[in-house]
Amino acid sequence: MHWVDVKIEINSTGKLLPIKHYIYYRRYLHRSGLSIWLAFLLCCCMAEVQAASCQVRGQEIVILHGCVSALERSAVNHEFTVPDSIPANEGHWYRIDLIADADAGDRLLDLGIPDAFQVQVYVQQAGLTQTVLNLNESSRYADRPVTHRNLIAVLRLTRGPARVYIYYHSHGKTPMLASLLTAAQLSTSDTLINLLNGLIFGIMLVMLPVLALGFNAQRKFGYRMYGAVVFSTMVFIAQLEGYTFAFLWPGAPAWNMLAPGALGMLMVMTNIAFAISFLQMKSRMPRLYRLYLCMFGLALLVLILHLMYALDNLLIIQSFTYSVIACVVAAQGVRQRIEAARFYFLGTLSVAVFPLLLVGFVLFLVRPSLPFSLLAYPKFGYLAESLLFGAAVISQIGKFNTRQAEQRILRLAETEQLLEAEQGKLAALSKANQQQLQLASVSHDIAQPLASLRFAVSVLEQHQGNEPIAQHIDHTLQYAQSLLKDLIAQVRDDRHEPEQIVLNKLFAQLGLAFQGIAAKNGLRLSIHTSRLRFEGSSLLLTRILSNLLANAIRYTPKGRVVLGARRRPDGIEILLFDTGSGIPKHIEQNLMRAFQQGSNASSDGFGLGLYIVKNLCHQCGYQLRINSRPGHGSCVAVFIPIPTSH
């Protein structure tokens, strides 16, 4: 306990009156800055002048601020003998001067604190000194003369002056805010204070469902930590108000003296964990995130050391350091526009604002007309912190739900688009099927006149005896009919059964079909015989080679066209050479598309030759290879893979 002796001269009623204010600090006020303290000190001249002694009149409640004096141990020894059980270097002595106008009877001296390592109260009246309270850290709750959550001594006052000497050693710099009242007044005051505390605890309990809402919405670790912050704050306030010693561990005084620091440090740790998750520090503030991890570990270490050695001062330093850093981190979150960071910043700031009110009341030596102790002001800060943190969590949940709703609407729109696309695809497939059926119908109708032509050719062959020409016409018509049958089979999705293909026979038919066209164009068509045979579709292979020969003859202005085949280790390769203008490499892939022709294309082409060849090769499992040199001709190869068993 530190006392500052301030002497101020006030010009009042023509006199300069010295005023002595004993200003004491409380452990809850460690978060206030030096500038604020100085501001209060400068305003101290506005304080009301207090009397040296307090008057005890009737049944009035007497607030003992103005008649409390701090004493050195040596000064106490001059007035009465100090017991040897009181340490010389711990705790503090106070003297309260009272004047009773009449026999006041039993009065209760409420020291305004819930616990102390050691407290002794002596009453000196009419030359007699009497001990009315003697408790230490080993005293159980039942050892108190008045079973109350605060330390209370019973004073039996008679008319005239009386002096009360108080020695106590408590946590940190907790001030003694004593008052004198009757049992009825204490009961009334307790009713109001318990109602107020119940309201505070009720509000905090109402905020706990936010944990369930947030966890169900996003399952984030920070929302669980918000629940831990609220719970640890409730337990800490209950300890400061004296409820825990009265109801939870009345027979454990040693733990009760450690509990304020332990619960306060636990509250700091839950706040650190909540801040890390809520402010997304790992991704948005990596340096501060590492600092917070270190602070969490340090807080855990301080908590362990406190449980072993009762280090109250170290706990105050740790709490002060965290409160400063927490404000900086909260401001950083606001600057980075983290969702609901403003609520978090206000919640962090509120823990410091309400204790500052207590600083002002203590400095001014003014007790407001409120039905609770000045030491209760910090709990309003903790309540505001819980409410603002809860508002931050609710705000984040609301924005998360809004984003979820927007995403659901977006997914619904995407689903509708996919449905429309699928419907369009089905419509296109239906239209394609209709076109295929129409094409199959037309092919069927064309097959009828072709059959009639074949019948007419057979009659012509019998009467005129022009057998070679008739055979050629018959083979051509038969090939046309085969193409139409294949088209109808594709529409029906029929599969071709493999057949034995003899290349000599196939090459002979192709030579008979294209010799006349080649000769008409001034070209020489050379077909090399081959005894190779394999299983496959002769119709599809005929279509492939017919399109390749037609393209070679159409785009070769002079020279020759050569068709042949050779065996490869893993198959058969059919080769077609020409001496045409060749195919430039940059348009080779373009010619593989439907209705694409080269720059020197003839007017009777449709640009479907290589497209048909590519698709038929893919259908049969063949490989199409083109090797061309512009101005020197081309070589087109169709590779037919054959299993080694053949």
Side-chain angles (χ1 to χ4, degrees):
M1 186 69 65
H2 299 279
W3 293 86
V4 180
D5 189 11
V6 181
K7 293 185 178 180
I8 304 175
E9 293 183 344
I10 300 178
N11 192 352
S12 176
T13 64
K15 296 183 180 180
L16 296 180
L17 300 178
I19 302 175
K20 181 178 292 185
H21 285 208
Y22 298 102
I23 304 170
Y24 35 86
Y25 302 70
R26 185 182 173 191
R27 62 190 174 106
Y28 309 119
L29 311 179
H30 56 270
R31 299 179 181 177
S32 56
L34 179 60
S35 59
I36 298 176
W37 283 94
L38 292 177
F40 279 124
L41 289 173
L42 290 176
C43 295
C44 197
C45 59
M46 301 298 295
E48 180 184 354
V49 179
Q50 301 291 339
S53 299
C54 289
Q55 300 290 328
V56 181
R57 301 186 182 92
Q59 300 297 316
E60 295 179 357
I61 297 178
V62 183
I63 306 303
L64 304 176
H65 292 174
C67 46
V68 176
S69 303
L71 300 177
E72 297 293 336
R73 184 184 178 94
S74 58
V76 178
N77 284 326
H78 287 297
E79 301 190 18
F80 74 97
T81 304
V82 178
D84 296 334
S85 60
I86 298 179
N89 55 351
E90 292 181 354
H92 304 276
W93 281 96
Y94 303 98
R95 187 184 68 196
I96 302 176
D97 294 320
L98 301 174
I99 298 178
D101 293 344
D103 290 341
D106 290 344
R107 288 297 185 96
L108 301 179
L109 177 63
D110 185 357
L111 300 183
I113 55 176
D115 53 49
F117 292 102
Q118 189 171 4
V119 58
Q120 295 187 9
V121 178
Y122 304 90
V123 177
Q124 192 177 75
Q125 195 171 24
L128 298 177
T129 302
Q130 181 183 5
T131 303
V132 295
L133 182 63
N134 185 6
L135 298 173
N136 54 41
E137 57 184 321
S138 300
S139 300
R140 297 175 300 172
Y141 183 75
D143 296 333
R144 297 185 176 187
V146 179
T147 53
H148 192 270
R149 54 190 180 82
N150 281 346
L151 294 174
I152 296 178
V154 180
L155 304 183
R156 186 161 298 169
L157 300 177
T158 60
R159 179 188 296 272
R163 282 187 175 180
V164 180
Y165 295 91
I166 302 173
Y167 168 83
Y168 85 94
H169 172 213
S170 186
H171 303 281
K173 307 303 176 185
T174 305
M176 182 188 66
L177 302 176
S179 59
L180 198 63
L181 65 169
T182 64
Q185 292 165 344
L186 178 64
S187 178
T188 302
S189 176
D190 278 349
T191 300
L192 295 175
I193 293 176
N194 292 335
L195 180 62
L196 175 64
N197 290 334
L199 180 62
I200 292 175
F201 291 147
I203 293 174
M204 289 187 174
L205 286 174
V206 169
M207 297 305 298
L208 282 179
V210 175
L211 164 66
L213 293 175
F215 185 70
N216 291 332
Q218 302 186 50
R219 296 190 177 273
K220 289 181 67 175
F221 176 75
Y223 296 150
R224 283 177 285 181
M225 281 298 99
Y226 170 71
V229 168
V230 174
F231 180 76
S232 62
T233 302
M234 289 174 59
V235 177
F236 183 65
I237 293 176
Q239 176 65 33
L240 297 184
E241 293 291 314
Y243 292 114
T244 53
F245 192 33
F247 299 108
L248 297 183
W249 44 76
W255 159 246
N256 186 65
M257 298 307 298
L258 293 173
L263 296 177
M265 193 51 54
L266 184 63
M267 187 172 60
V268 169
M269 294 170 64
T270 56
N271 272 271
I272 291 175
F274 173 70
I276 288 175
S277 177
F278 182 81
L279 296 176
Q280 308 165 32
M281 295 180 65
K282 187 174 183 180
S283 58
R284 294 195 173 219
M285 312 172 190
R287 293 184 179 178
L288 292 176
Y289 168 71
R290 291 190 290 270
L291 175 62
Y292 260 47
L293 289 181
C294 294
M295 289 190 62
F296 186 89
L298 182 60
L300 180 60
L301 177 61
V302 170
L303 175 60
I304 295 173
L305 293 176
H306 172 68
L307 294 177
M308 297 171 60
Y309 304 107
L311 304 175
D312 283 331
N313 292 331
L314 185 59
L315 292 174
I316 293 174
I317 295 174
Q318 173 73 8
S319 300
F320 173 78
T321 304
Y322 170 71
S323 66
V324 173
I325 297 177
C327 291
V328 174
V329 171
Q332 182 68 18
V334 174
R335 282 195 294 269
Q336 293 190 11
R337 297 183 178 180
I338 297 175
E339 290 181 359
R342 294 181 182 275
F343 288 112
Y344 178 81
F345 175 74
L346 292 175
T348 305
L349 194 62
S350 66
V351 181
V353 169
F354 280 90
L356 285 179
L357 295 177
L358 178 58
V359 173
F361 292 141
V362 170
L363 287 173
F364 291 148
L365 297 180
V366 174
R367 179 181 175 90
S369 57
L370 295 175
F372 43 83
S373 169
L374 291 176
L375 297 183
Y377 279 91
K379 66 188 175 188
F380 295 113
Y382 297 128
L383 174 62
E385 179 191 54
S386 300
L387 291 175
L388 289 168
F389 283 1
V393 171
I394 292 174
S395 177
Q396 278 199 352
I397 293 174
K399 292 181 180 179
F400 171 78
N401 291 335
T402 301
R403 289 195 300 269
Q404 289 290 97
E406 292 174 352
Q407 290 177 2
R408 283 193 293 268
I409 294 174
L410 181 61
R411 285 195 295 267
L412 182 60
E414 292 175 351
T415 303
E416 291 178 352
Q417 291 177 355
L418 289 175
L419 181 59
E420 292 177 358
E422 190 66 22
Q423 291 175 345
K425 180 180 177 181
L426 292 176
L429 289 175
S430 177
K431 183 177 180 181
N433 289 334
Q434 285 294 115
Q435 291 175 346
Q436 286 184 341
L437 290 174
Q438 291 175 359
L439 185 59
S441 300
V442 173
S443 301
H444 178 269
D445 294 340
I446 294 175
Q448 299 300 326
L450 289 177
S452 299
L453 284 174
R454 288 191 67 191
F455 177 76
V457 169
S458 64
V459 174
L460 179 65
E461 181 181 353
Q462 293 175 2
H463 287 79
Q464 295 185 1
N466 196 353
E467 187 174 346
I469 297 176
Q471 286 181 352
H472 172 62
I473 295 174
D474 183 65
H475 285 313
T476 303
L477 292 173
Q478 183 180 1
Y479 175 65
Q481 284 183 318
S482 299
L483 290 177
L484 294 175
K485 289 181 181 179
D486 181 65
L487 181 59
I488 295 174
Q490 288 182 10
V491 173
R492 294 172 52 194
D493 199 21
D494 290 346
R495 295 189 178 183
H496 297 279
E497 294 294 332
E499 58 181 305
Q500 193 73 17
I501 299 176
V502 180
L503 286 183
N504 264 341
K505 183 178 178 181
L506 181 62
F507 283 1
Q509 294 175 358
L510 291 171
L512 186 62
F514 287 95
Q515 281 288 359
I517 300 175
K520 182 180 177 181
N521 291 348
L523 300 175
R524 178 184 174 187
L525 176 61
S526 301
I527 298 180
H528 294 273
T529 60
S530 175
R531 297 180 180 179
L532 298 175
R533 59 179 62 199
F534 56 92
E535 288 187 352
S537 174
S538 59
L539 175 63
L540 297 181
L541 184 58
T542 301
R543 292 180 63 187
I544 292 172
L545 297 179
S546 295
N547 278 285
L548 291 177
L549 280 170
N551 277 350
I553 292 172
R554 184 178 295 116
Y555 296 111
T556 301
K558 62 179 180 178
R560 59 186 297 194
V561 176
V562 181
L563 176 65
R566 60 184 175 183
R567 180 175 291 279
R568 292 291 188 185
D570 51 351
I572 295 173
E573 189 175 39
I574 300 176
L575 301 169
L576 180 65
F577 298 91
D578 66 59
T579 58
S581 57
I583 303 174
K585 197 68 177 178
H586 66 277
I587 67 170
E588 183 178 304
Q589 292 299 322
N590 189 50
L591 293 178
M592 295 287 182
R593 301 173 184 171
F595 307 108
Q596 297 295 324
Q597 294 179 288
S599 58
N600 57 346
S602 60
S603 60
D604 57 344
F606 298 101
L608 292 172
L610 285 179
Y611 173 75
I612 293 173
V613 169
K614 181 189 72 172
N615 288 340
L616 291 176
C617 286
H618 178 74
Q619 180 180 345
C620 297
Y622 302 161
Q623 298 178 16
L624 179 64
R625 302 167 182 171
I626 299 177
N627 187 10
S628 180
R629 294 177 59 193
H632 295 80
S634 304
C635 173
V636 181
V638 177
F639 178 74
I640 303 168
I642 298 176
T644 55
S645 60
H646 288 72

